[in-house]
Every structure is written in structure tokens, then in C-alpha cells.
């Protein structure tokens, strides 16, 4: 059986790589219809899961972190939006992403190899001006493990900044754990997820 986090990761990866033009359902619809080809396809599909399960049993923490970070970068970039990202991209690449990766890696130290197979980014992704970027959850228990958020701050006379932070299950999500504050400037930033106007 293929873990849900791997299925979701593949769906997200295919959708991102094809700019949403091809989804995994579209790929399944293109399978041949005649019986001789179908039986060949079925026999190759039948033998594949054994190999896949053997590979999944050896999933390492580093592989899980790498997969989560690929999804996290794409989701966070989409949340920030095309209008905001160019101005904060350097800080995003050099500060936010490395700290995000370090946090994920540190939290996953508490999980066994078997539990790591069920760690995935939640399907409920933050949209609009809310703080939520994405949550990482244990699909076996259904519980959130880490919650990554961004908030637009505007202290008096200081200009705007983006406060990237996370919450963790270790303290029942009560504390804000700072990743970084990224300064924007005195001008009002566009809304999260804004597209470029051409």
C-alpha cells in the first residue's frame, strides 16, 4: 500500500510541473482500452507495488524532509504571490527556507521510521490574507505536527514586515516560534497570493 503522503506529493508535483494542465486523473484517462494492452498494463501494474513497498520501507528522514521542503517551497511561494515574492525572495531563499527545513528536520527526529511514512503536508492550504501557509500532519493519527504561518505586521512608524513563524504539537500549538521577520517597506504590500498585472 502506498502512503497517502506519497500520493499527494506526486499529485502536487505533477500539477506544478505541468502548470495544472495535466492532473493524475488525466493521465489515468489516457490508458489504452483494448484487452490485450489492458492485460499487459495490468500485469505491469500488479508487479510494481511490491517494488514500491520495498522502496518505501527504507524511507529516511532526509528523504521525507526533502519531499516536504519541495512542497513547502511551492506552497509558500503561491501563498506569498507573484507581486510580493520578487521583493522578498532573497530573504525567503536564504533565511526562511533554511529555517523551515531545520525546524521540520528537528521535529521529525521524534518520529520512528514507520511514522515518517505518514508525515505529509495537509491538503488544507492557506489562501487569502489569513496567516496559514500550510500544516504538516501525521496521516496515521490525523493530528497536526507543525503549522507554518505568515502574518503581515505594521508597527506604528516602522513600515510593513512579514512575520514568518510556526506552531508545534510539542507545546499544543500555543507559542509562536519565530522563523524570521522580513521587512517590506513603508508602502502597503499587495494581498497574499496577488498575481502580477501585465
Amino acid at each position: 500500500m502506498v502512503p497517502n503522503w506519497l500520493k499527494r506529493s506526486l499529485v502536487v508535483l505533477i500539477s506544478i510541473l505541468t502548470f495544472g494542465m495535466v492532473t493524475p486523473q488525466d493521465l489515468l484517462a489516457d490508458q489504452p482500452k483494448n484487452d490485450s494492452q489492458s492485460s499487459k498494463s495490468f500485469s505491469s501494474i500488479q508487479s510494481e507495488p511490491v517494488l514500491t513497498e520495498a522502496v518505501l520501507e527504507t524511507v529516511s528522514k532526509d528523504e521525507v524532509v526533502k519531499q516536504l521542503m519541495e512542497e513547502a517551497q511551492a506552497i509558500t511561494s503561491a501563498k506569498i504571490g507573484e507581486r510580493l515574492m520578487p521583493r522578498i525572495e532573497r530573504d525567503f531563499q536564504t533565511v526562511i527556507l533554511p529555517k523551515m527545513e531545520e525546524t521540520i528536520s528537528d521535529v521529525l527526529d521524534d518520529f520512528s521510521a514507520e511514522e515518517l511514512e505518514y508525515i505529509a503536508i495537509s491538503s488544507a492550504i492557506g489562501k487569502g490574507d489569513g496567516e496559514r501557509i500550510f500544516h504538516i500532519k501525521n496521516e496515521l493519527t490525523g493530528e497536526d505536527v507543525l503549522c507554518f504561518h505568515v502574518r503581515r505586521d505594521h508597527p506604528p512608524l516602522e513600515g510593513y514586515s512579514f512575520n514568518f513563524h510556526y506552531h508545534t504539537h510539542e507545546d499544543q500549538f500555543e507559542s509562536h516560534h519565530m522563523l524570521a521577520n522580513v521587512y517590506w517597506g513603508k508602502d502597503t504590500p499587495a494581498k497574499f497570493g496577488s498575481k502580477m498585472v501585465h
Side-chain angles (χ1 to χ4, degrees):
M1 184 165 125
V2 178
N4 284 337
W5 70 266
L6 185 58
K7 289 178 188 176
R8 287 187 186 157
S9 299
L10 290 174
V11 168
V12 169
L13 187 61
I14 289 170
S15 297
I16 289 171
L17 291 176
T18 61
F19 301 106
M21 300 300 289
V22 176
T23 61
Q25 285 294 0
D26 294 337
L27 295 174
L28 293 174
D30 292 340
Q31 290 181 349
K33 300 244 191 262
N34 74 34
D35 291 338
S36 64
Q37 287 181 342
S38 294
S39 63
K40 288 179 187 174
S41 297
F42 181 72
S43 65
S44 67
I45 290 171
Q46 223 174 5
S47 63
E48 218 171 283
V50 175
L51 176 63
T52 305
E53 286 181 22
V55 171
L56 289 177
E57 288 175 9
T58 60
V59 170
S60 72
K61 182 185 94 167
D62 291 339
E63 291 170 319
V64 173
V65 170
K66 181 180 178 204
Q67 180 63 42
L68 290 173
M69 283 307 298
E70 287 173 4
E71 289 181 57
Q73 182 171 359
I75 291 167
T76 306
S77 293
K79 167 73 175 180
I80 300 300
E82 294 174 1
R83 290 184 65 192
L84 300 176
M85 187 54 81
R87 197 150 146 190
I88 67 167
E89 187 162 18
R90 190 188 72 200
D91 289 329
F92 177 70
Q93 295 290 337
T94 61
V95 179
I96 305 299
L97 288 177
K99 286 186 177 181
M100 209 179 259
E101 183 172 5
E102 179 184 346
T103 301
I104 292 170
S105 182
D106 288 348
V107 169
L108 292 186
D109 283 340
D110 298 338
F111 290 87
S112 68
E114 294 81 26
E115 290 174 314
L116 286 175
E117 291 183 34
Y118 297 99
I119 301 298
I121 290 183
S122 171
S123 58
I125 296 169
K127 296 177 181 155
D129 270 344
E131 285 191 14
R132 180 184 189 138
I133 303 174
F134 64 90
H135 291 186
I136 295 177
K137 68 187 266 183
N138 182 336
E139 292 187 323
L140 194 59
T141 63
E143 296 177 359
D144 284 337
V145 175
L146 274 170
C147 302
F148 286 96
H149 294 169
V150 61
R151 177 180 69 231
R152 184 170 64 182
D153 288 340
H154 186 215
L157 305 173
E158 290 185 29
Y160 289 90
S161 64
F162 297 106
N163 175 281
F164 287 86
H165 60 277
Y166 67 94
H167 305 272
T168 178
H169 72 287
E170 294 167 348
D171 65 1
Q172 287 71 44
F173 307 100
E174 290 183 11
S175 299
H176 279 69
H177 301 276
M178 177 74 72
L179 290 172
N181 256 338
V182 178
Y183 184 73
W184 173 263
K186 300 253 181 200
D187 58 319
T188 305
K191 291 186 176 200
F192 289 131
S194 297
K195 304 267 187 218
M196 292 296 260
V197 178
H198 299 287

